[in-house]
């Protein structure tokens, strides 16, 4: 794999059982590059450690007074110099290629996982950790992949030199052969403590990064309430904790480096002393002593790679563990464990262009959105509404993401199998579990707009340049979302004047920070409408919009989505009154369903959420509540027998 060939057509299915397994998988996928780098490393280091032979040969030629052998020694040194330079250049080239391609593979995997999980990613993993994995951790993983080939070449060279010295001069060679492994293993007792300190440093750095990203994201609010100094102090403390942890970690690695310098020096002293004794006794020649001494001197260079690989592995192992944890997340709680099996399940044998549709049903909560209707869902808990919206989009939470909802069991509807114990069942579209279809097909069928949509920087035309059916035009979508004033604001703010001629060419700043919250919501709604999916799920699409604009948005949404399935999570009466059907969710379960005006008169809990009244039954309701079920005279429990609009009938129709 060459750098010019990046990105990978397919980065593969990673082994995410553990950090070492992930590193091993990366190494297997770069076997060709590793072998190539190792061969160049062998050439480089073999030429390097061969210098002592040429030097010893030349010294002995001077002692013997042989000019021919001295010239031969000089030619041999010149040739080894060329080979050393060539090997070093190509080794560096191959090793850096391995680093970049490995980092690119991991980044592609992380990008694919982020696209797969969508907004649920930061609900399962802290935002700071995601940033740390995609930046610093990727670099450390690439470092280990790069150092691996150099270490392989160094290990082979070291073993070869030790064997050659034993054959060449057994007395000194045995000392070197016993001393070199001791040097290589001397730092191992220090590595666990160094690794723990490095892990502590990275953990504190991740928390500081998360705090910084949260502060930047909420800077406007912080300035509004005068909270800049508070968060600045918090970040200053977090930064100092990172600095302290980094210093403690650096001390351990400095100690390891000192050991790697001191012990080879002691070995060198021992070899020189013992060799000089043998030479004085006449057991070895001066040339042999110089050769062994030079071999030990040059052998210290490959030994540095033992320290590097130890450091690289210590730093990359926790990084690989974090990357494996992120890559091991799945878009649903169903399917085989592990990323390899899970990704294979996601790529089921459903035709890529196959379309499916019908009623959208969530068996965990009992929420049903009939096909072709505008269904409004009212939840008293905004967080629950967000999780339910994600689940309707095919992103069921994993184990432990929502322990209360994970307790839900029962029939999955539409002929689906019963939910596994402890797992949240997937939403059904036309009786088909969304987590059983390929991700691309699920995305084409169901689009979920988060309550806090992100607007990427660029022109308005680029923002609205999304996959679409072609039925809804950009003009129609902008009109339905009531974006006229947004276009005017963008045109006036256009610096180069291009937005004045055509508002679609006006530029949007990063995350749309130059726009108000309501303007960002309406642009995001227009982007969702122009996509024209079979099912559109909107989570509080007008929470930051004034009532007059909200009424027009509700009318435009109903008009543009006629004949399409639309689910809106909202408590706004203006939107609820436009809905074909309203489902009231309480304690994670669908408690009632019907028209907005009907539920206002029959469900005091629903009325309390919508009108912001205290969640207490009215006196008239208490008088007519004869059976003590918590509903008025006309209110019925959704699971009660014979209830008007009961959810049991809804489930049967699903």
């Amino acid at each position: 794999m060459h750098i010019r060939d990046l990105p990978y057509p397919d980065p593969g299915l990673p082994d995410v059982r553990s950090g070492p397994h992930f590193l091993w998988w990366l190494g297997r996928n770069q076997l060709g590059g590793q072998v190539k780098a190792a061969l160049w490393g062998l050439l480089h280091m073999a030429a390097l450690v061969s210098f002592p032979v040429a030097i010893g040969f030349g010294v002995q030629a001077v002692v013997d007074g042989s000019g021919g052998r001295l010239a031969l020694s000089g030619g041999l040194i010149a040739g080894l110099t060329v080979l050393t330079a060539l090997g070093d250049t190509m080794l560096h080239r191959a090793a850096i290629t391995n680093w970049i391609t490995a980092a690119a593979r991991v980044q592609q995997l992380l990008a694919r996982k982020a696209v797969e999980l969508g907004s649920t990613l930061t609900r399962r993993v802290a935002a700071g950790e995601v940033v740390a994995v995609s930046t610093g951790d990727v670099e450390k993983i690439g470092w280990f992949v790069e150092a691996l080939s150099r270490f392989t070449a160094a290990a082979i060279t070291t073993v070869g030199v030790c064997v050659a010295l034993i054959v060449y001069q057994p007395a000194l060679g045995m000392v070197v052969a016993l001393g070199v492994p001791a040097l290589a293993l001397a730092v191992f007792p220090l590595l666990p403590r160094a690794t723990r300190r490095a892990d502590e440093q990275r953990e504190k750095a991740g928390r500081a990064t998360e705090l910084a990203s949260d502060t930047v994201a909420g800077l406007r609010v912080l300035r509004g309430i005068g909270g800049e100094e508070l968060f600045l102090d918090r970040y200053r403390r977090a930064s100092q904790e990172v600095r302290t942890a980094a210093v403690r970690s650096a001390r351990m690695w400095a100690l390891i480096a000192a050991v790697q310098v001191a012990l080879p020096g002691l070995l060198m002293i021992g070899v020189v002393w013992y060799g000089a004794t043998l030479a004085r006794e006449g057991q070895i020649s001066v040339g042999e002593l110089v050769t062994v001494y030079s071999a030990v001197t040059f052998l210290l260079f490959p030994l540095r790679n033992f320290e590097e690989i130890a450091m690289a592995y210590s730093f990359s192992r926790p990084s690989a563990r974090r990357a494996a944890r992120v890559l091991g997340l799945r878009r649903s709680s169903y399917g085989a464990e592990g990323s390899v099996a899970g990704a294979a399940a996601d790529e089921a044998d459903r035709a890529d262009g196959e379309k499916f549709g019908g009623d959208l049903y969530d068996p965990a909560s009992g929420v049903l959105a009939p096909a072709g209707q505008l269904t409004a869902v009212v939840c008293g808990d905004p967080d629950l509404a967000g999780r339910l919206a994600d689940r309707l989009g095919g992103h069921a939470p994993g184990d432990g993401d929502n322990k209360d909802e994970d307790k839900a069991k029962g029939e999955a509807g539409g002929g689906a199998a019963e939910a596994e114990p402890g797992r949240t069942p997937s939403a059904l579209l036309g009786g088909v579990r969304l987590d059983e279809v390929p991700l691309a097909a699920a995305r084409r069928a169901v689009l979920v707009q988060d309550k806090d949509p992100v607007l990427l920087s660029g022109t308005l035309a680029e923002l609205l340049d999304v996959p679409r059916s072609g039925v809804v035009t950009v003009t129609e979508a902008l009109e339905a979302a009531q974006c006229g004033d947004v276009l005017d604001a963008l045109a006036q703010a256009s610096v180069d004047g291009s937005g004045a001629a055509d508002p679609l060419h006006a530029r949007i700043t990063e995350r749309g920070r130059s726009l108000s919250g309501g303007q960002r919501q309406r642009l995001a709604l227009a982007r969702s409408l122009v996509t024209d999916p079979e099912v559109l799920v909107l989570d509080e699409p007008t929470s930051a919009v004034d009532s007059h604009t909200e009424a027009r948005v509700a009318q435009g949404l109903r008009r543009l989505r006629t004949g399409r399935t639309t689910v809106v999570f909202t408590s706004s009466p203006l939107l609820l009154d436009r809905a074909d059907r309203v489902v009231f969710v309480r304690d994670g379960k669908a408690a009632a369903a019907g028209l907005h005006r009907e539920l206002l008169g029959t469900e005091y809990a629903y009325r309390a959420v919508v009108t912001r009244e205290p969640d207490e039954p009215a006196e008239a309701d208490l008088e007519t509540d004869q059976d003590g079920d918590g509903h008025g005279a006309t209110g019925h429990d959704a699971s009660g027998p014979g209830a008007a609009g009961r959810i049991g009938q809804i489930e049967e129709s699903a």
Side-chain angles (χ1 to χ4, degrees):
M1 183 70 179
H2 300 285
I3 297 177
R4 62 175 176 269
D5 297 327
L6 294 175
Y8 289 96
D10 180 10
L13 302 176
D15 186 347
V16 295
R17 289 175 292 175
S18 65
H21 279 96
F22 181 62
L23 291 174
W24 176 248
W25 176 82
L26 274 178
R28 289 203 321 268
N29 279 271
Q30 290 193 305
L31 187 59
Q34 291 292 335
V35 171
K36 182 179 179 181
L39 291 177
W40 284 117
L42 278 175
L43 174 63
H44 168 59
M45 294 182 186
L48 189 66
V49 298
S50 296
F51 272 96
V53 177
I55 293 173
F57 188 71
V59 170
Q60 193 63 42
V62 172
V63 173
D64 297 339
S66 175
R69 282 188 294 166
L70 183 61
L72 180 61
S73 174
L76 184 58
I77 292 175
L80 290 175
T81 302
V82 174
L83 290 178
T84 301
L86 175 63
D88 191 22
T89 301
M90 298 307 296
L91 169 62
H92 183 74
R93 179 187 179 94
I96 293 300
T97 298
N98 288 337
W99 183 343
I100 294 176
T101 52
R105 187 187 296 273
V106 177
Q107 286 177 330
Q108 280 189 246
L109 291 170
L110 291 171
R112 185 173 69 180
K113 182 59 61 177
V115 171
E116 176 185 338
L117 294 178
S119 61
T120 60
L121 175 61
T122 52
R123 294 179 182 174
R124 302 186 187 185
V125 183
E129 184 169 353
V130 175
V131 174
V133 170
S134 60
T135 54
D137 286 337
V138 167
E139 182 178 353
K140 292 179 177 65
I141 292 171
W143 177 28
F144 174 75
V145 173
E146 178 220 0
L148 187 59
S149 56
R150 286 203 301 269
F151 166 73
T152 303
I156 295 174
T157 303
T158 302
V159 172
V161 170
C162 290
V163 172
L165 287 177
I166 292 175
V167 173
Y168 177 71
Q169 180 46 250
L172 287 176
M174 188 59 67
V175 174
V176 176
L178 294 176
V180 168
L183 294 180
L185 299 176
V187 298
F188 274 73
L190 301 176
L191 286 179
R193 181 175 297 182
T195 302
R196 286 194 299 271
R197 292 190 179 184
D199 290 345
E200 180 183 355
Q201 174 194 349
R202 281 188 292 273
E203 182 181 354
K204 292 183 181 296
R207 288 201 295 266
T209 302
E210 182 177 0
L211 179 60
S213 62
D214 291 344
T215 302
V216 172
L219 190 58
R220 178 180 294 182
V221 177
L222 291 176
R223 286 177 174 173
I225 62 176
E228 303 100 317
E229 288 299 325
L230 174 63
F231 275 81
L232 182 61
D233 290 340
R234 290 181 181 178
Y235 182 75
R236 184 180 291 112
R237 289 195 298 269
S239 178
Q240 290 303 313
E241 291 178 359
V242 174
R243 182 190 62 81
T244 303
V247 171
R248 294 183 69 246
S249 178
R251 286 173 180 167
M252 280 304 303
W253 291 111
L255 177 60
I256 292 175
V259 169
Q260 289 289 336
V261 172
L263 293 183
L266 294 176
L267 176 62
M268 186 72 67
I269 293 173
V271 169
V272 171
W273 176 80
Y274 184 54
T277 302
L278 294 177
R280 188 175 62 249
E281 295 175 355
Q283 298 184 27
I284 63 174
S285 65
V286 176
E288 290 175 334
L289 174 60
V290 172
T291 299
V292 175
Y293 170 77
S294 301
V296 175
T297 302
F298 282 93
L299 200 57
L300 299 182
F301 176 77
L303 282 176
R304 296 195 192 105
N305 290 278
F306 287 79
E307 177 190 354
E308 182 189 19
I309 196 65
M311 293 180 63
Y313 181 73
S314 298
F315 276 94
S316 65
R317 184 173 57 84
S319 296
R321 183 176 65 245
R322 282 195 295 269
R325 182 170 59 180
V326 174
L327 295 175
L329 297 174
R330 301 223 28 238
R331 68 185 178 100
S332 72
S333 59
Y334 270 90
E337 298 292 338
S339 177
V340 174
D346 287 341
E347 298 300 329
D349 293 332
R350 181 179 295 273
D352 186 61
E354 181 180 349
K355 294 184 178 180
F356 59 102
D359 296 346
L360 181 63
Y361 175 64
D362 176 41
S365 62
V367 172
L368 172 72
Q373 294 187 15
L374 173 59
T375 302
V377 180
V378 178
C379 292
D381 183 0
D383 292 334
L384 174 61
R387 292 193 295 269
L388 182 54
D390 287 335
R391 200 160 60 235
L392 289 175
H395 299 278
D399 297 338
D401 289 348
N402 185 7
K403 295 180 180 178
D404 294 335
E405 293 184 30
D406 283 346
K407 296 179 181 178
K409 298 187 179 93
E411 296 297 326
E418 185 174 325
E420 299 178 32
R423 293 183 179 273
T424 304
S426 168
L428 306 167
L429 181 58
V432 178
R433 269 196 350 216
L434 287 175
D435 61 356
E436 285 189 337
V437 302
L439 178 62
R443 287 283 172 83
R444 284 195 300 269
V446 184
L447 174 65
V448 180
Q449 178 179 305
D450 192 68
K451 68 177 64 177
D452 187 20
V454 175
L455 303 181
L456 301 179
S457 59
T459 64
L460 181 57
E462 292 171 343
L463 175 71
L464 300 176
D465 185 16
V466 293
R468 66 185 73 176
S469 66
V471 176
V472 178
T473 65
V474 170
T475 302
E476 291 173 335
L478 291 171
E479 181 181 351
Q482 299 299 306
C483 293
D485 64 317
V486 184
L487 298 180
D488 295 338
L490 289 174
Q492 293 175 4
S494 178
V495 177
D496 56 3
S498 58
D502 185 357
L504 291 179
H505 291 158
R507 298 198 64 83
I508 300 174
T509 57
E510 181 186 2
R511 299 179 68 91
R513 298 191 190 278
S514 61
L515 302 173
S516 67
Q519 289 174 329
R520 288 197 299 270
Q521 278 190 335
R522 283 178 282 157
L523 277 183
L525 177 59
R527 180 177 58 187
S528 300
L529 291 175
V530 79
T531 304
D532 190 37
E534 184 65 29
V535 179
L536 177 60
V537 180
L538 303 172
D539 187 5
E540 295 289 354
T542 58
S543 59
V545 177
D546 64 85
S547 58
H548 297 287
T549 306
E550 187 178 24
R552 295 194 296 270
V553 169
Q555 182 178 358
L557 177 64
R558 180 175 179 83
R559 182 184 70 253
L560 205 60
R561 294 291 299 173
T562 300
R564 296 287 199 181
T565 306
T566 308
V567 181
V568 182
F569 286 83
T570 184
S571 59
S572 168
L574 294 173
L575 284 173
L576 295 172
D577 197 42
R578 293 283 181 177
D580 297 311
R581 190 165 172 276
V582 178
V583 179
F584 176 51
V585 177
R586 189 174 191 181
D587 298 328
K589 298 291 183 180
L595 294 176
H596 168 59
R597 298 178 185 273
E598 295 175 353
L599 295 178
L600 282 177
T602 60
E603 294 288 334
Y604 62 80
Y606 172 83
R607 184 168 62 247
V609 173
V610 174
T611 63
R612 308 299 193 272
E613 294 178 356
D615 191 5
E616 296 289 343
E619 184 176 347
D621 292 331
L622 290 175
E623 292 177 357
T624 56
D625 185 12
Q626 302 296 330
D627 56 2
D629 63 353
H631 298 272
T634 57
H636 301 275
D637 181 62
S639 59
R646 53 191 284 267
I647 302 301
Q649 296 175 348
I650 297 172
E651 295 180 1
E652 293 176 4
S653 65

